[in-house]
Amino acid sequence: MTKKILVLPGDGIGPEIVAEALKVLNRLIATGLDVELEHGLVGGAAYDAEGHPLPPKTLEQARAADAILLGAVGGPQYESLDRPLRPEQGLLGLRAGLNLFSNLRPAILYPQLAEASTLKREVVSGLDIMIVRELTGGIYFGQPRGVRTLENGEKEGFNTLVYRESEIERIGRSAFEIARKRNKRVCSVDKANVLEVTELWRQVMIRVGKDYPDVELSHMYVDNAAMQLVRAPKQFDVMVTTNMFGDILSDAAAMLTGSIGMLPSASLDAAGKGMYEPIHGSAPDIAGRGVANPLATILSVAMMLRYSLGLTEQADRIEAAVGAVLDQGLRTADIAAQGQASVGTAEMGDAVVAALG
Ligand code: IPM
Ligand code: MG
């Protein structure tokens, strides 16, 4: 049966980079890929058109789709809106509404880009980490939350970091399953020395780990993990962690690879349905200038084919095409070495399409 993909370009550079990913998808469709594309609104774009960052129609479209391709959301013009109307709520609402609890964020260094990393070549060459971030729980969703006024008139802000055993267990299983297909090592990142909830996290990980005796489980406090990521990142295979720690550590891991503009992500539910997006944001500072790197979004299409549509060969084809354009020396500004000429968003997309053959 024809699979349905919902395309949500969003804001900032979102529409530009998604346009390039669509060139790639359309090329695959022309050569036999059996998918149907539908378009929808999310984030600031949806707020502008419909007055809400996640209109009911978008959520319906997302529920009906087999997979979702998202660009990015957010922009300075929306920062003064009430929190429930801000673009980020569109993204968080999709994650929660579709139960996309397992967020896979690979940090892979393309050998061609070793010089683009701010770290020494020997520290990062061959880097291949998978960060598994819990995505629908923890402090980003916990209740109660808000800002209240105390008796003395002072304001107090508060959020709640809460995890149930079942939530920890299912993200743990995701991580162990993925590790089985890789180097069979999971490092669970917590702050068990201070936070009760992550002490529970650690206990549950140990319990779940018993079902995966072939996978080595280790534990690390998040502050140390941040340090180890920039000191000796190749010690990691799979890292599994909470929503907020994963948000932070995945940005740090991305930079090890030279540019956050290179990294795709998958957010999966229990059945493998997923939303795919670059891990970078909407980059309003460069939006509309045609200079953004479309490769993270193009690689997100590859992840979609691999994880939600089971089309490994087509996924390999896209990843090989990205490797080929890097071999040709094509670089967008974010991955160009100092003094090296760079290409624009569309030129990079066209080159990937050409390399697909
Ligand atoms: C990410 C982003 C989002 C998050 C924002 C835009 C809500 O930073 O996907 O990492 O915090 O999850
Ligand atoms: Mg983030």
Side-chain angles (χ1 to χ4, degrees), residues 26-100:
N26 282 322
R27 173 78 196 146
L28 295 183
I29 290 170
T31 54
L33 175 69
D34 187 18
V35 301
E36 195 181 291
L37 303 180
E38 200 179 311
H39 297 262
L41 291 168
V42 74
Y47 174 79
D48 291 339
E50 315 261 334
H52 197 279
L54 183 57
K57 175 164 183 237
T58 302
L59 191 56
E60 257 169 55
Q61 286 177 304
R63 289 213 166 101
D66 295 290
I68 300 150
L69 179 67
L70 186 136
V73 298
Q77 68 272 45
Y78 306 110
E79 273 164 21
S80 56
L81 290 174
D82 279 349
R83 189 162 290 277
L85 295 178
R86 288 189 208 164
E88 291 76 12
Q89 295 305 314
L91 186 55
L92 295 169
L94 277 171
R95 290 171 179 172
L98 299 174
N99 222 352
L100 305 173

Side-chain angles (χ1 to χ4, degrees), residues 26-245:
N26 282 322
R27 173 78 196 146
L28 295 183
I29 290 170
T31 54
L33 175 69
D34 187 18
V35 301
E36 195 181 291
L37 303 180
E38 200 179 311
H39 297 262
L41 291 168
V42 74
Y47 174 79
D48 291 339
E50 315 261 334
H52 197 279
L54 183 57
K57 175 164 183 237
T58 302
L59 191 56
E60 257 169 55
Q61 286 177 304
R63 289 213 166 101
D66 295 290
I68 300 150
L69 179 67
L70 186 136
V73 298
Q77 68 272 45
Y78 306 110
E79 273 164 21
S80 56
L81 290 174
D82 279 349
R83 189 162 290 277
L85 295 178
R86 288 189 208 164
E88 291 76 12
Q89 295 305 314
L91 186 55
L92 295 169
L94 277 171
R95 290 171 179 172
L98 299 174
N99 222 352
L100 305 173
F101 67 89
S102 177
N103 184 213
L104 313 185
R105 299 191 159 192
I108 295 171
L109 182 83
Y110 282 82
Q112 301 92 326
L113 298 183
E115 300 307 328
S117 176
T118 46
L119 275 80
K120 292 196 193 96
R121 176 186 271 276
E122 61 268 25
V123 175
V124 290
S125 75
L127 184 83
D128 181 354
I129 302 176
M130 179 69 91
I131 296 185
V132 180
R133 169 187 175 192
E134 199 292 323
L135 202 60
T136 53
I139 198 164
Y140 288 12
F141 290 94
Q143 295 287 346
R145 61 191 297 158
V147 177
R148 61 192 163 214
T149 306
L150 302 175
E151 266 169 28
N152 68 0
E154 191 187 1
K155 282 188 181 156
E156 179 181 70
F158 56 100
N159 288 90
T160 303
L161 174 52
V162 56
Y163 272 113
R164 291 183 186 190
E165 286 182 293
S166 54
E167 291 177 289
I168 304 168
E169 180 169 340
R170 66 182 183 176
I171 194 67
R173 291 198 185 279
S174 280
F176 281 106
E177 294 290 343
I178 286 160
R180 270 195 170 154
K181 298 187 191 127
R182 297 173 43 101
N183 291 321
K184 300 194 169 55
R185 286 185 293 119
V186 169
C187 178
S188 169
V189 176
D190 61 40
K191 188 71 187 173
N193 51 342
V194 178
L195 302 172
E196 288 83 351
V197 40
T198 67
E199 200 178 342
L200 179 67
W201 176 281
R202 188 177 285 217
Q203 287 163 7
V204 174
M205 285 296 162
I206 291 169
R207 198 165 76 209
V208 172
K210 298 220 157 71
D211 291 341
Y212 302 84
D214 50 322
V215 178
E216 179 194 307
L217 171 65
S218 61
H219 307 272
M220 205 178 268
Y221 297 141
V222 64
D223 45 355
N224 186 25
M227 181 174 77
Q228 296 300 333
L229 264 179
V230 290
R231 191 188 75 87
K234 284 189 275 182
Q235 69 186 284
F236 298 111
D237 177 22
V238 174
M239 299 176 95
V240 63
T241 191
T242 64
N243 201 341
M244 182 162 71
F245 294 165

Side-chain angles (χ1 to χ4, degrees), residues 238-261:
V238 174
M239 299 176 95
V240 63
T241 191
T242 64
N243 201 341
M244 182 162 71
F245 294 165
D247 188 19
I248 298 166
L249 293 179
S250 62
D251 269 32
M255 252 353 257
L256 303 175
T257 71
S259 171
I260 198 166

